[in-house]
Amino acid sequence: MHVELFDRTVELDADRVRASEDEIRAQVGEYVAGERRTFDLPVTTPEGFAGEVAAEMRAIPYGETRTYGDIADALDTAAVAVGRACGANPVPLVVPCHRVVGADSLGGYSAGDGLPFKRRLLELEGADASATE
């Protein structure tokens, strides 16, 4: 399914979210309006390593970031592997991969229009996106 925010389209794998499209859109709208800090949508995450990365991403609080290296350390793996798993996230926003950044850059982002969209999400949350330009 597609959701619109900031005049951008974000693709969410609705098969992984056990909620109606109306509920998903409502929660995204509340998030953009600053009325929601977490999504309480039941999500089926991938199994294995990608699921472990997704769990780490979901644990990052609103307005905070973690580096690919932080997550790699927590999972005893390489940062590049974490980056690949983030890039394959089937439900961006709901599983907040935008909160994962490089040690000295924003890293990458596969939703919306890429890095400008990631920066905008971080700014919405009050995270310091300028420190990683």
Side-chain angles (χ1 to χ4, degrees):
M1 77 174 278
H2 300 283
V3 294
E4 299 291 326
L5 63 155
F6 308 135
D7 298 319
R8 302 291 182 269
T9 300
V10 176
E11 174 90 24
L12 299 176
D13 183 348
D15 291 337
R16 296 212 172 254
V17 182
R18 292 182 311 278
S20 71
E21 288 191 13
D22 288 342
E23 179 61 21
I24 295 167
R25 288 181 204 291
Q27 288 197 22
V28 168
E30 292 166 358
Y31 169 79
V32 172
E35 300 166 356
R36 174 173 292 279
R37 291 178 167 238
T38 60
F39 292 93
D40 58 3
L41 301 166
V43 175
T44 303
T45 56
E47 293 191 20
F49 179 72
E52 292 173 14
V53 172
E56 291 290 324
M57 290 188 288
R58 288 190 90 177
I60 303 170
Y62 180 95
E64 295 184 21
T65 60
R66 301 292 182 272
T67 67
Y68 298 100
D70 292 336
I71 294 176
D73 289 346
L75 298 177
D76 194 29
T77 191
V80 69
V82 171
R84 282 191 204 111
C86 290
N89 178 9
V91 285
L93 298 176
V94 178
V95 175
C97 51
H98 63 277
R99 296 179 188 154
V100 184
V101 298
D104 57 4
S105 72
L106 282 180
Y109 199 62
S110 60
D113 61 352
L115 291 179
F117 189 68
K118 182 175 188 172
R119 180 174 282 109
R120 184 114 185 242
L121 291 171
L122 292 173
E123 289 169 351
L124 171 74
E125 295 185 9
D128 185 7
S130 67
T132 54
E133 288 188 38

